[in-house]
Amino acid sequence: MEPNEQQGRSSSSTAGGTFRCREARQVPKCFRSVECPYQKVQTAQGSYGAINYSLVGPAFGELVVCLHGLNGSRVLFHDTAEVLSRHGGFQVLSFDLYGHGLSNAPYVDMCLGKGCKSCGEFFCCGRPRGRYDLDFFVEQVDDLLSLLGFGDVSLNLVGFSLGGSIAIAFAQKYPQRVLRLVPMSPAGFLPKIPVSYYLLKAVWCCLIPLAPHVICTCWYKKQRFMKSMRNDGHMDAEALEGLWARFVWQLYVKRGVASATLAICHRIPWFSLKGMVQDVGKHRRPVLLVWGEKDSLNPSKTVAKEVLNCFSNAQLMLVPGAGHIAICDRPRQVVFGLLAFLKLPIATQMGEVDLSSVPPAFRHLQASTSTSTSSASATMAAGATAGAASATATGSAGVRSSASQGEASGTSAGAAGSRPPADCGGAIGAASESQRHAASAAQMPVPMILGLGGQEIAAACPDEGPRIPLPSEDDPPASSRGPEPPRTSPAKMVPGHNFAL
């Protein structure tokens, strides 16, 4: 049963778990018709409620775990998972972090001290409460892996922004379980601390519990929202409506999102993770850092080099023309580079390899995706059509594991309904102007406390994964396709120190 059908209950039930939702009478009348903007896939019952996840790939493939960023969802890696599973033979797990998407947003642990059971985790009527710090999300990853039977399985970690920091924290706690690590512009190195962040630090104990009660509905009345966003002339009506529905559903239908987001802003060390990264960097596992050349949140000229220097066996993939969300701005380059990296032996010295160009074994995929740009763009015009295309791709792949057989055959790469993706439009190139502006506008009011603008917090793009059309089995072999099509500028590869410890 879909979450939007459960609005008359205090918690919405899915197969295997629940997440907190307001009763219909508690939702403002002007928002009661809003449907759930997220796609339900598989659900597991974690320690803090429902976890919405997707598991694709052959049952015995090497495991890859993908972690999205703040205010994103598992959909960021939807097509990435299809490429890695179909053409790399990997088993790919992606899921919604607590407080995001269709995973539960547990009550916030308001205890001043970490790990205080008496007034923290079970403070109110036995309700489990989450701290929303790095340890909390590392625990979620470990919990889900155990629930799915991967508790003792070695794995590869791919994480974007906040997800990148969680991946690094997981590698610190479980160093022997992580084979390869791919942080994509990880959080923890923001160069500037805004004044509003100090305000949150000072009065967090009041702001977090009050957040759900002080968000005025007038800010999100549909006509006002559409008019204010349409004034810039860059976003079309359909994208705006999807953006509005997502805001409203998270803030006024699902419970706990505003408080959870503020707690994350308060308890994640956005500016001071260098020590932890250096500790993890001592391990000799291969590390691929993915960075957009035009990343204004974590500038590549300063932050990327600083993070690279923390690892003993790393390489930096600098993606030309891409911003903070490089996997959406240049999905073809990032995903094929990721695929090539994950195929490297775990004893690889990253200073001796070059991932700047598409490997010969994958060039026919690049050619196929290049020639299918126009048809894929048409496919992305509506969410329902995109869902059908996604189902066709997964069906022809024939590599979905038994754990994911329950996925709907029409799984959409975007939200439920007919709205288009908000940022990662087109086939494999950059997003359109309308979609890019939708992404920059798509931000929750509360995370502005970090002064992060529209890139890190609530960018619509992390909720709408990049579309990478997959070649069908009927496509002609690479040798019959003629010369390789023109390519965009290759990613610049910067080797790390590669010194022996």
Side-chain angles (χ1 to χ4, degrees), residues 143-459:
D143 191 18
L144 180 59
L145 289 171
S146 297
L147 289 171
L148 299 180
F150 298 119
D152 56 352
V153 174
S154 297
L155 50 86
N156 302 281
L157 287 173
V158 179
F160 164 70
S161 201
L162 171 62
S165 298
I166 296 171
I168 295 171
F170 186 95
Q172 183 184 45
K173 187 171 184 179
Y174 305 104
Q176 301 308 315
R177 294 173 62 180
V178 180
L179 300 174
R180 303 173 190 83
L181 189 60
V182 186
M184 299 179 175
S185 189
F189 293 83
L190 294 180
K192 296 180 181 179
I193 304 178
V195 175
S196 53
Y197 181 75
Y198 293 109
L199 175 64
L200 173 62
K201 285 291 185 181
V203 296
W204 66 272
C205 55
C206 298
L207 285 178
I208 291 176
L210 290 177
H213 309 287
V214 298
I215 301 176
C216 182
T217 57
C218 64
W219 294 347
Y220 292 101
K221 288 290 182 66
K222 187 173 182 179
Q223 295 305 319
R224 177 178 178 177
F225 181 89
M226 300 281 281
K227 183 178 179 180
S228 63
M229 291 295 178
R230 195 181 290 120
N231 285 340
D232 65 8
H234 292 289
M235 288 182 284
D236 58 52
E238 200 169 7
L240 280 173
E241 187 164 354
L243 196 60
W244 171 79
R246 183 183 168 206
F247 279 162
V248 168
W249 192 85
Q250 289 189 102
L251 293 175
Y252 299 102
V253 180
K254 183 180 177 182
R255 285 186 179 275
V257 173
S259 294
T261 307
L262 272 178
I264 293 172
C265 291
H266 170 55
R267 287 174 173 156
I268 297 295
W270 301 97
F271 314 95
S272 55
L273 272 184
K274 186 173 182 178
M276 183 188 75
V277 177
Q278 287 177 326
D279 182 51
V280 173
K282 295 175 183 178
H283 196 286
R284 293 296 297 168
R285 73 172 63 84
V287 175
L288 176 65
L289 294 170
V290 179
W291 229 280
E293 187 180 35
K294 296 182 178 180
D295 189 337
S296 58
L297 182 65
N298 288 327
S300 60
K301 292 184 178 179
T302 54
V303 178
K305 302 296 177 61
E306 181 182 4
V307 177
L308 178 64
N309 289 335
C310 293
F311 291 97
S312 60
N313 186 27
Q315 190 170 121
L316 171 64
M317 175 186 284
L318 200 57
V319 186
H324 182 55
I325 316 171
I327 193 172
C328 285
D329 290 340
R330 295 290 184 270
R332 177 172 56 192
Q333 289 179 279
V334 173
V335 174
F336 288 141
L338 174 61
L339 179 57
F341 169 74
L342 293 174
K343 283 292 188 179
L344 294 175
I346 59 174
T348 298
Q349 299 298 308
M350 294 303 294
E352 301 173 0
V353 297
D354 179 16
L355 300 175
S356 62
S357 59
V358 177
F362 306 135
R363 283 177 184 167
H364 70 286
L365 304 182
Q366 185 191 42
S368 178
T369 54
S370 296
T371 56
S372 58
T373 299
S374 58
S375 60
S377 298
T379 299
M380 294 307 294
T385 309
S390 176
T392 301
T394 57
S396 61
V399 294
R400 192 172 296 274
S401 70
S402 58
S404 61
Q405 292 295 334
E407 290 193 27
S409 59
T411 298
S412 171
S418 59
R419 66 187 180 90
D423 188 2
C424 299
I428 51 178
S432 68
E433 277 300 300
S434 172
Q435 293 158 343
R436 193 176 300 280
H437 281 271
S440 64
Q443 51 195 5
M444 298 282 289
V446 285
M448 289 299 290
I449 213 81
L450 289 178
L452 301 183
Q455 294 194 65
E456 161 65 11
I457 312 296

Side-chain angles (χ1 to χ4, degrees), residues 73-90:
S73 82
R74 51 159 290 278
V75 182
L76 173 65
F77 295 102
H78 178 276
D79 279 13
T80 302
E82 293 297 339
V83 172
L84 296 182
S85 61
R86 180 175 175 184
H87 298 288
F90 294 98

